Amino acid sequence: GAGVSQSPRYKVAKRGQDVALRCDPISGHVSLFWYQQALGQGPEFLTYFQNEAQLDKSGLPSDRFFAERPEGSVSTLKIQRTQQEDSAVYLCASSWSGGTYSNQPQHFGDGTRLSIL
Amino acid sequence: RKEVEQDPGPFNVPEGATVAFNCTYSNSASQSFFWYRQDCRKEPKLLMSVYSSGNEDGRFTAQLNRASQYISLLIRDSKLSDSATYLCVVNSLYNTNAGKSTFGDGTTLTVKP
């Protein structure tokens, strides 16, 4: 399809395990964002890429969280030594940004629902 | 205090009612504004952008008041299918021409027959 694709849709892991979440943005979209959404709250910003460059990682909650986008398209969010408080929905969004019209709205994937037992 | 604040609701209204949501933001450097809709266990989807002059899309009207730093969304003639959570989104601008989005926690609307 033409939308943002995330996998897996659901992930259950034991506390202490490492997990990797994948995001495939809309083709041609330069900007890619990761968000964390807890139940009953809005998405909270984690990190931002422009192409392969990670320009803002101020929202990553700890050094257990790591994101990459090595070729400027697919991105992976990795969480090491998972904790129960990491349980949330992880949303990826992409936008086309550039030219004279800036600040395009973001298009979201379905999210990965992560549960840490 | 959160950077973007919304009344969480819930708003329970009958079909055909008019309902309005407000959202306030604290960053005066904010550049652009959006309303997103999120259905239960689904991803947020763009409903409409919000322009300074106000804008309308069918039954939906969005307004921006930069001086008071609030945004509103008006829904006329509510439909059952309008039941969802409405997220207010405020963008500040990276120098890369991408927008850093800050989300409110959403306002829940339930339209009843």
Side-chain angles (χ1 to χ4, degrees):
Chain A
V4 178
S5 177
Q6 290 187 246
S7 62
R9 188 73 193 275
Y10 301 93
K11 177 69 178 178
V12 179
K14 292 183 179 178
R15 188 166 59 94
Q17 288 183 330
D18 298 349
V19 298
L21 313 180
R22 175 190 168 103
C23 173
D24 198 342
I26 293 172
S27 178
H29 277 194
V30 169
S31 297
L32 185 145
F33 303 81
W34 283 97
Y35 294 87
Q36 181 190 61
Q37 186 172 25
L39 191 65
Q41 296 182 15
E44 294 280 346
F45 170 80
L46 293 177
T47 187
Y48 158 58
F49 289 87
Q50 185 192 33
N51 296 308
E52 69 279 4
Q54 188 176 22
L55 299 188
D56 187 348
K57 53 182 181 179
S58 61
L60 296 176
S62 78
D63 59 7
R64 296 187 295 105
F65 286 71
F66 172 77
E68 60 182 3
R69 194 186 184 196
E71 297 178 359
S73 55
V74 172
S75 176
T76 303
L77 175 67
K78 298 179 180 178
I79 309 173
Q80 298 176 323
R81 305 181 303 281
T82 52
Q83 303 293 318
Q84 284 191 321
E85 62 263 27
D86 300 335
S87 298
V89 176
Y90 290 85
L91 293 163
C92 175
S94 69
S95 69
W96 179 85
S97 54
T100 56
Y101 183 69
S102 61
N103 237 344
Q104 295 280 338
Q106 296 171 24
H107 301 269
F108 284 81
D110 290 342
T112 294
R113 192 170 299 273
L114 177 65
S115 296
I116 305 300
L117 304 179
Chain B
R1 181 168 176 252
K2 289 188 66 108
E3 195 172 323
V4 179
E5 293 205 14
Q6 296 182 248
D7 180 347
F11 285 67
N12 298 308
V13 303
E15 269 188 293
T18 296
V19 61
F21 309 137
N22 288 329
C23 166
T24 58
Y25 61 95
S26 59
N27 184 356
S28 59
S30 298
Q31 296 282 340
S32 59
F33 311 87
F34 306 92
W35 283 101
Y36 278 72
R37 168 196 171 125
Q38 187 170 27
D39 293 288
C40 187
R41 301 176 78 87
K42 297 284 191 180
E43 77 279 17
K45 291 186 177 178
L46 178 67
L47 180 65
M48 60 196 303
S49 302
V50 187
Y51 303 120
S52 296
S53 54
N55 50 300
E56 188 174 308
D57 182 2
R59 297 181 294 108
F60 299 84
T61 300
Q63 298 274 358
L64 166 64
N65 185 319
R66 284 189 185 269
S68 301
Q69 295 184 197
Y70 81 79
I71 306 142
S72 65
L73 176 68
L74 181 78
I75 306 175
R76 291 181 300 278
D77 189 22
S78 300
K79 311 291 185 190
L80 295 176
S81 57
D82 294 335
S83 297
T85 296
Y86 291 83
L87 297 165
C88 172
V89 183
V90 173
N91 275 18
S92 56
L93 196 60
Y94 290 111
N95 58 12
T96 58
N97 281 343
K100 177 177 180 177
S101 293
T102 302
F103 285 74
D105 285 339
T107 298
T108 300
L109 172 66
T110 302
V111 181
K112 299 187 175 181

